[in-house]
Amino acid sequence: MPISKAEDEDRLAQLGYSQELKRDWGLMHNFGASFSIISTITGITTLFGYGLNSGGPAVMSWSWLVVTFFTICIGCSMAEILSQIPTSGGPYFWAYMLSPPDKAPFFAWITGWFNLIGQIAVTSGIDFGLANLISTTAAESSGYHPTGGKTLGILAGILFSQAVINMFSIKKLKIMIYTSIALNTVGIGSMAIAILIKAEARKDKAFVFHKFFDGTGPDGPGWSVRASPVYVALIGVLMPQYTILGYDASAHLCEETKRAVRDGPLGLVYSVVASGAVGFLVLLALLFSIQDFEAVRQSPQPVLKILTDACGEGGGLVLMTSNSRMMFAFARDGGIPHCLHIIDTRFKCPVRTILFGAVCSFLLVLPVLGSQAALAGTTSIATIGLYISYGIPIGLTLVYPANFKRGPFRLGMFSKPIGVVACLWISFITIVLCLPTYTPVTPGTLNYTPVALGITGVFAFASWKFWAKKWFTGRCRNHCRICIRQLDFLGEEMMGRTTTSGHGAEPEPEPDRRRYSRNGIFGTGGKKAPKITGSRGHITVNREFEVARGYREI
């Protein structure tokens, strides 16, 4: 049975929120957003050199298949949760809804901060990779001499352009998503075919699937000698795992997606499967087309080197959209400054969170300049930060199954086994991606992922212990004028609907708002605001939003 726009808004109201963002995206747009953020060519280009030195072609090809399988498991578990809890908050709000009432704010706070640092880091990694690609391409084709400062300037220009484009209307973004889908499928497929055709010689299957190489030392072999080849293969997992990342965009954009309880989960799963397939084909095309392994391995842009050898001389955008929507929701619930939760009336989008995300992404890149190990660290931070935020709500469905009421997208009898596999894989990559990637370990080769994640973890737990637990409830409690106005609007919309569809009831009388001031959360002297029953006789919205368990049991 088709899901109407009113039902989308009613489900959002059940979760305690009004419809503030424009809801006119379909399945293709939702899928395209996540697919564009994953952008296999971007991740492969950024870490192709890292992969060649951390296990070589064999580890790159086989780890891609392994990572794709486990990532599909994670995506399916997330999709099942999204089907029941379709809000822009994504993982942090899932954690709130799936945990016991007394622990819900704590889990939401921790999940939200890991998701936030992951969102910022993945934007930094992708855009810095693009800035490096632009610099190297210019150096190859002209007399341009790239420096750290110039690359930083290019990065600033990229982030600024993405911020400006994100302020356009949602219709323009949809056109860009269609373009991105075409480029990431037809465009990349054509490029892969062209490389294979134009290459003078192609490597054999033994090279692609069996050649192991360790370049983690100063002059070649490093960790395979000091530790084991298995160690090198483990740290080589970073390239595929970082590439297939960011598909929680389907959740962050679900408040703008029609039929969100169905199309949001489908968009998420489809994006993971499609990215895994497209990425594997691209990876194979590049590996088979390598002409000089040593030259490619030592090149600052190995993918560009493969292209020029074969053919001769001559999506960060949508990620920022997802980034801004996550920040918008987290600000709405008080996790970051509430002033960021404002929809600009002219641009119809959260302008402040877009600019805030761009600035944070720029600042995170500053330590990366001049250090390939630092770049690997930034991508590890993005990977671990986001996957921890994915794993917490999945783990909560296993620990507190009574709180998980499944929506239209269901895994049935496979739900729990897939959830267990997803949590185990996330735990595994969290440990592996914190390991040193180069030897000897010096300030220049240090993997600072544990440091950055440690700082994030200490801040999240300490801030909760000494500060946030006193006021953060995990959802908007409407302390501010903005929320009061938006909730009043929601009340008017819901009371304006009737329950004549199959019930024959009359709409409830409008409550007298004059009795409720900004003092004491909608009430003078601690008085509670009235409840409002929705259009189909099954939705109850308490303006004070203190009955979390009631929402959880819907």
Side-chain angles (χ1 to χ4, degrees):
M1 183 177 179
I3 301 171
S4 67
K5 182 178 179 181
E7 288 176 309
D8 281 326
E9 295 179 6
D10 286 349
R11 181 57 191 144
L12 190 60
Q14 289 177 339
L15 297 169
Y17 298 108
S18 61
Q19 183 68 50
E20 301 175 65
L21 299 168
K22 188 175 181 180
R23 190 185 290 272
D24 64 350
W25 288 36
L27 172 59
M28 185 59 69
H29 307 118
N30 189 282
F31 158 77
S34 288
F35 185 66
S36 300
I37 287 174
I38 295 173
S39 184
T40 54
I41 190 62
T42 305
I44 291 173
T45 301
T46 302
L47 291 178
F48 196 84
Y50 174 88
L52 291 177
N53 287 299
S54 302
V59 172
M60 294 171 74
S61 55
W62 288 111
S63 67
W64 188 279
L65 295 175
V66 173
V67 167
T68 298
F69 170 78
F70 286 110
T71 305
I72 290 174
C73 292
I74 296 171
C76 287
S77 293
M78 292 173 63
E80 193 175 36
I81 300 172
L82 171 58
S83 182
Q84 175 61 12
I85 312 174
T87 73
S88 292
Y92 89 82
F93 191 73
W94 300 345
Y96 174 86
M97 296 296 289
L98 295 169
S99 53
D102 59 328
K103 298 180 177 67
F106 168 76
F107 282 111
W109 179 263
I110 300 301
T111 306
W113 275 102
F114 274 106
N115 191 254
L116 180 61
I117 193 65
Q119 292 270 355
I120 294 171
V122 75
T123 305
S124 300
I126 288 177
D127 286 347
F128 185 69
L130 176 59
N132 268 327
L133 181 60
I134 293 172
S135 294
T136 307
T137 303
E140 291 280 345
S141 59
S142 67
Y144 177 79
H145 299 288
T147 64
K150 292 178 181 179
T151 303
L152 201 61
I154 295 173
L155 172 67
I158 293 170
L159 288 167
F160 177 76
S161 66
Q162 291 172 349
V164 171
I165 294 174
N166 265 278
M167 294 176 194
F168 289 167
S169 72
I170 204 70
K171 292 183 179 179
K172 292 185 176 64
L173 280 175
K174 288 195 293 185
I175 294 173
M176 294 175 186
I177 285 176
Y178 280 132
T179 304
S180 178
I181 293 174
L183 291 174
N184 279 284
T185 52
V186 178
I188 292 176
S190 300
M191 181 196 74
I193 295 172
I195 296 171
L196 291 171
I197 293 175
K198 292 287 290 183
E200 293 182 2
R202 285 183 288 276
K203 298 295 185 181
D204 56 18
K205 291 186 293 184
F207 173 85
V208 173
F209 293 105
H210 299 292
K211 181 176 175 58
F212 176 87
F213 182 82
D214 175 18
T216 59
D219 299 310
W223 286 116
S224 64
V225 176
R226 293 191 61 183
S228 166
V230 175
Y231 181 96
V232 179
L234 291 178
I235 62 176
V237 168
L238 173 61
M239 190 205 76
Q241 195 67 77
Y242 168 72
T243 301
I244 311 178
L245 180 70
Y247 42 88
D248 57 322
S250 291
H252 297 310
L253 297 172
C254 69
E255 289 187 29
E256 296 160 83
T257 302
K258 294 178 289 185
R259 300 177 296 277
V261 295
R262 187 199 69 181
D263 289 356
L266 291 178
L268 190 155
V269 175
Y270 290 169
S271 68
V272 176
V273 174
S275 296
V278 172
F280 188 61
L281 294 177
V282 172
L283 182 63
L284 291 183
L286 292 172
L287 291 174
F288 274 114
S289 301
I290 292 177
Q291 303 299 300
D292 185 339
F293 179 77
E294 279 301 312
V296 171
R297 185 182 69 83
Q298 296 177 12
S299 172
Q301 286 295 334
V303 173
L304 180 61
K305 177 64 175 173
I306 294 173
L307 294 176
T308 55
D309 286 349
C311 304
E313 297 292 342
L317 167 65
V318 183
L319 177 59
M320 188 173 289
T321 308
S322 169
N323 191 340
S324 66
R325 297 321 190 258
M326 181 272 164
M327 292 183 182
F328 158 80
F330 205 30
R332 176 173 63 186
D333 291 328
I336 55 178
H338 214 313
C339 61
L340 296 174
H341 165 227
I342 294 179
I343 302 295
D344 188 275
T345 56
R346 181 173 55 172
F347 295 109
K348 308 296 183 183
C349 67
V351 171
R352 296 187 182 187
T353 56
I354 291 172
L355 297 177
F356 178 71
V359 171
C360 290
S361 297
F362 180 81
L363 294 176
L364 187 60
V365 166
L366 294 180
V368 173
L369 294 177
S371 173
Q372 186 67 22
L375 175 59
T378 300
T379 54
S380 294
I381 293 169
T383 305
I384 296 175
L386 285 179
Y387 273 105
I388 287 177
S389 72
Y390 299 170
I392 291 175
I394 295 174
L396 289 171
T397 65
L398 302 174
V399 177
Y400 304 106
N403 293 340
F404 184 28
K405 310 298 181 181
R406 290 170 176 80
F409 183 93
R410 302 186 178 195
L411 299 175
M413 61 183 294
F414 299 103
S415 178
K416 184 172 290 187
I418 290 176
V420 171
V421 170
C423 289
L424 290 175
W425 180 254
I426 291 172
S427 301
F428 169 75
I429 62 173
T430 298
I431 296 172
V432 167
L433 298 185
C434 286
L435 299 174
T437 54
Y438 293 93
T439 181
V441 178
T442 65
T445 63
L446 175 68
N447 179 4
Y448 71 104
T449 302
V451 178
L453 289 176
I455 292 173
T456 303
V458 169
F459 169 80
F461 283 95
S463 60
W464 172 259
K465 175 71 175 178
F466 299 106
W467 174 51
K469 74 175 182 179
K470 300 176 182 178
W471 54 268
F472 182 72
T473 63
R475 65 161 75 239
C476 181
R477 293 187 61 179
N478 316 310
H479 289 153
C480 72
R481 174 177 52 81
I482 297 170
C483 286
I484 290 174
R485 184 174 67 249
Q486 290 171 338
L487 260 290
D488 281 343
F489 175 76
L490 170 63
E492 292 167 1
E493 287 290 307
M494 295 183 69
M495 288 184 294
R497 302 174 187 169
T498 66
T499 54
T500 56
S501 177
H503 298 282
E506 294 296 325
E508 289 194 14
E510 180 176 353
D512 184 4
R513 288 194 190 86
R514 290 175 297 179
R515 292 182 298 161
Y516 304 100
S517 69
R518 292 171 58 188
N519 300 323
I521 312 175
F522 279 98
T524 54
K527 187 184 297 183
K528 290 185 177 180
K531 293 183 178 180
I532 304 171
T533 302
S535 59
R536 290 166 184 76
H538 68 281
I539 300 169
T540 301
V541 178
N542 187 328
R543 284 189 177 176
E544 194 178 6
F545 290 160
E546 294 297 318
V547 286
R549 171 58 67 183
Y551 291 117
R552 212 171 274 118
E553 292 177 347
I554 290 175

